[in-house]
Amino acid sequence: MNVSEELLDLQSPKSQTRGTYLFVSLCSAVDDMKLQWNKVTGIITDGAPALAGERSGLSTLVCNKVSEEGGSAIKLHRIVHEEVLCGKYMKYDNVMKPVMKAINYIRSKELCHRQFQQFLLDIQAEYGDVLYHNDVRWLSRGSALQRCFSQGGNWTILDKNGQPMPQLNDPVWLADLGFLVDLTRHLNALNTSLQGPNAVVSQLYSHIKAFRTKLLLFQRHLSQAQPNTAHFSSLQEIMTSFPQNNISGQMTKYAADISSLVEEFQQRFRDFAAIEKEITLFSSPFSVDPDDAPDHLQLELIELPCDAEHRSRHQQLPLVNFYRQLDEGRFQAVRTFAKKMPSLFGSTYTCEKTFSVMNINKSRMRTRLSDSHLRDVLRIKTTALEPDLDYILQSRSQHLVVEWPPWDWEIGVQIPVGSFNSRVVSRCSPLQRSVPMAWK
């Protein structure tokens, strides 16, 4: 049982980008590769209407096609994108707007930007500059807020340039800033853990469940009579700097905001919660009650925990390698079930990588790059397969003799001199070379 992510095909939409048109292109790619529709286990999208529509979305059409062919497929929203949408739920415009206004002013004025950088260098600040915030860059919000907070009161350059920031003298606003800095730091840590290749759905969903449990812990800590800010270092710093102010009154608001964020996570990840039993069965087959498992798996799930050797391997090996080494004769149903989870794209890392490679290769300077050329470039760049060059050269190597034209040719360059045109001519003699070529 080998698992790999490969680019199936690249097709350019010739007309509209509705779900039906995308489905026709997908069917063409699947049929060209002679793949079986009943082997499709799921489709993961980013939630766009053309992809996730209930009636004519691409995911609905694919699931219907798989059902017609005797298979079963599920629709999922990619986990990383859902996490980003959950993070955007905490807007805090009263904090973001002044901070972004100050950052944009400093970065947009060259003289002001240089002076600010030199000032931070002179005082040996932790960071030497501030960062732009862009919604497309998922981690930029937390990074920009963190650098802004680390500057403390080092914003005198704004006052000198007639752009004062009175919020820096408001303890309540600073507490909101510290809370948002800490919360976005936790969200960035979650986002980073969800990135990377070869991610299995069970592992990614475990990160989501763990973070939701952390949020409940944060809520309980901030709801106490004596709020516990052990996991909110920036907020604790503000509370220590302004002990005379009643900042603790904001804790009830922060606890309520975290409670709303927990509900947002539950709402957006309900499609993964629907298959949580299958995920648990795949990740922890030794702790599942056979009565709760499908009928065709119950007997093998009873036999599996009784084997001490398999239990030891489950603790030592990755999940895919564990299921790969199971005896196909004894655990055929379990192995068949286990093939479904690794085939689900928990993340779209390969798609994102392909898109980045396409942006680099397809530019205005390469206007003659056709779809077939671009597909070949992307497939070579993103594939995890390695060609066996030694075998190809040994079994199918040929020698191609390339003969240049047997005649001499002339290279002429017209050089205007005054009113005359003098012609510079050089002659080349014929060449013959033997070039080894490998043919497939």
Side-chain angles (χ1 to χ4, degrees):
M1 184 173 65
N2 297 320
V3 180
S4 63
E5 298 181 6
E6 298 295 331
L7 176 65
L8 176 63
D9 198 2
L10 176 69
Q11 295 194 8
S12 299
K14 304 303 180 183
S15 57
Q16 297 177 341
T17 57
R18 296 179 180 177
T20 52
Y21 293 95
L22 297 177
F23 180 69
V24 172
S25 300
L26 179 61
C27 290
S28 175
V30 172
D31 294 339
D32 290 343
M33 297 297 292
K34 298 180 180 180
L35 301 178
Q36 301 179 16
W37 280 99
N38 58 359
K39 299 294 184 181
V40 177
T41 58
I43 176 171
I44 285 78
T45 66
D46 60 358
L51 302 178
E54 291 293 334
R55 292 184 296 177
S56 59
L58 176 62
S59 57
T60 301
L61 298 176
V62 169
C63 292
N64 294 339
K65 178 67 174 180
V66 174
S67 300
E68 294 174 0
E69 298 294 332
S72 176
I74 58 178
K75 298 184 292 184
L76 297 175
H77 194 133
R78 59 174 178 154
I79 292 183
V80 179
H81 190 250
E82 288 280 35
E83 186 274 337
V84 173
L85 295 178
C86 290
K88 291 182 178 180
Y89 179 78
M90 305 293 290
K91 295 185 181 297
Y92 271 72
D93 290 337
N94 65 314
V95 174
M96 293 300 301
K97 288 183 178 179
V99 170
M100 293 303 104
K101 181 180 178 180
I103 293 177
N104 293 339
Y105 178 81
I106 292 175
R107 295 296 299 262
S108 61
K109 309 295 182 181
E110 279 296 329
L111 177 59
C112 181
H113 189 201
R114 291 195 301 269
Q115 291 175 345
F116 185 70
Q117 288 179 315
Q118 184 61 41
F119 173 71
L120 296 180
L121 181 63
D122 294 339
I123 65 175
Q124 297 181 353
E126 181 180 1
Y127 299 103
D129 201 357
V130 289
L131 297 177
Y132 274 126
H133 165 54
N134 191 329
D135 287 335
V136 178
R137 299 183 181 274
W138 295 338
L139 306 179
S140 66
R141 186 189 187 192
S143 301
L145 288 172
Q146 176 63 42
R147 293 204 175 193
C148 176
F149 182 83
S150 66
Q151 305 305 332
N154 301 326
W155 297 92
T156 55
I157 191 172
L158 295 176
D159 298 331
K160 293 180 180 179
N161 288 271
Q163 298 289 330
M165 195 172 178
Q167 293 86 355
L168 295 175
N169 300 321
D170 184 1
V172 176
W173 185 88
L174 291 175
D176 291 345
L177 174 61
F179 171 74
L180 191 59
V181 167
D182 293 326
L183 189 59
T184 53
R185 174 168 51 84
H186 292 301
L187 288 170
N188 283 0
L190 173 62
N191 187 286
T192 305
S193 65
L194 298 176
Q195 298 180 18
N198 303 323
V200 184
V201 170
S202 59
Q203 298 173 347
L204 299 179
Y205 187 61
S206 65
H207 291 305
I208 297 297
K209 292 171 57 180
F211 187 77
R212 194 164 55 211
T213 305
K214 293 178 183 178
L215 291 178
L216 294 174
L217 176 66
F218 299 158
Q219 180 187 1
R220 292 195 300 269
H221 282 184
L222 296 179
S223 301
Q224 297 174 0
Q226 294 293 331
N228 184 355
T229 57
H231 305 289
F232 292 85
S233 57
S234 300
L235 179 59
Q236 178 63 41
E237 183 179 343
I238 297 298
M239 295 179 64
T240 305
S241 302
F242 299 92
Q244 69 280 8
N245 291 275
N246 189 19
I247 300 178
S248 59
Q250 293 290 104
M251 299 303 166
T252 304
K253 171 191 173 184
Y254 300 152
D257 291 341
I258 292 179
S259 177
S260 300
L261 185 59
V262 172
E263 295 178 0
E264 184 71 10
F265 267 85
Q266 293 176 347
Q267 176 69 17
R268 290 198 172 274
F269 288 96
R270 62 184 183 276
D271 50 352
F272 288 91
I275 61 171
E276 186 170 358
K277 290 185 178 180
E278 298 181 13
I279 294 177
T280 303
L281 178 58
F282 171 75
S283 58
S284 305
F286 294 91
S287 60
V288 174
D289 188 354
D291 293 334
D292 298 333
D295 296 340
H296 66 285
L297 297 176
Q298 290 178 348
L299 297 181
E300 295 184 4
L301 288 177
I302 293 175
E303 184 177 357
L304 186 61
C306 298
D307 194 323
E309 183 179 357
H310 288 318
R311 184 182 294 274
S312 176
R313 290 178 179 177
H314 180 264
Q315 297 175 353
Q316 298 175 359
L317 299 176
L319 283 174
V320 177
N321 295 341
F322 166 73
Y323 285 106
R324 183 186 295 124
Q325 58 83 35
L326 285 180
D327 186 3
E328 190 173 359
R330 294 177 57 192
F331 304 101
Q332 182 178 2
V334 173
R335 282 173 56 91
T336 303
F337 167 79
K339 292 179 182 179
K340 179 179 180 180
M341 285 299 157
S343 62
L344 292 176
F345 289 89
S347 67
T348 53
Y349 176 83
T350 302
C351 295
E352 300 294 342
K353 179 180 178 181
T354 304
F355 185 72
S356 300
V357 174
M358 183 177 65
N359 285 338
I360 295 174
N361 287 273
K362 189 175 182 180
S363 62
R364 291 181 299 176
M365 306 303 295
R366 306 182 69 181
T367 56
R368 300 190 64 181
L369 191 65
S370 63
D371 291 346
S372 60
H373 294 155
L374 185 60
R375 181 181 62 248
D376 295 338
V377 170
L378 297 180
R379 181 167 293 166
I380 294 174
K381 185 65 176 180
T382 59
T383 184
L385 305 177
E386 296 183 0
D388 190 352
L389 298 179
D390 294 335
Y391 173 78
I392 295 176
L393 293 175
Q394 292 177 3
S395 60
R396 300 185 180 183
S397 62
Q398 299 181 7
H399 285 80
L400 176 65
V401 177
V402 179
E403 293 187 1
W404 295 82
W407 56 84
D408 297 352
W409 65 83
E410 295 181 349
I411 302 176
V413 180
Q414 296 288 343
I415 305 178
V417 180
S419 58
F420 302 95
N421 289 335
S422 61
R423 191 180 188 195
V424 179
V425 179
S426 62
R427 301 185 64 85
C428 302
S429 58
L431 301 174
Q432 178 173 331
R433 285 183 185 174
S434 175
V435 182
M437 302 289 288
W439 300 89
K440 184 176 179 181

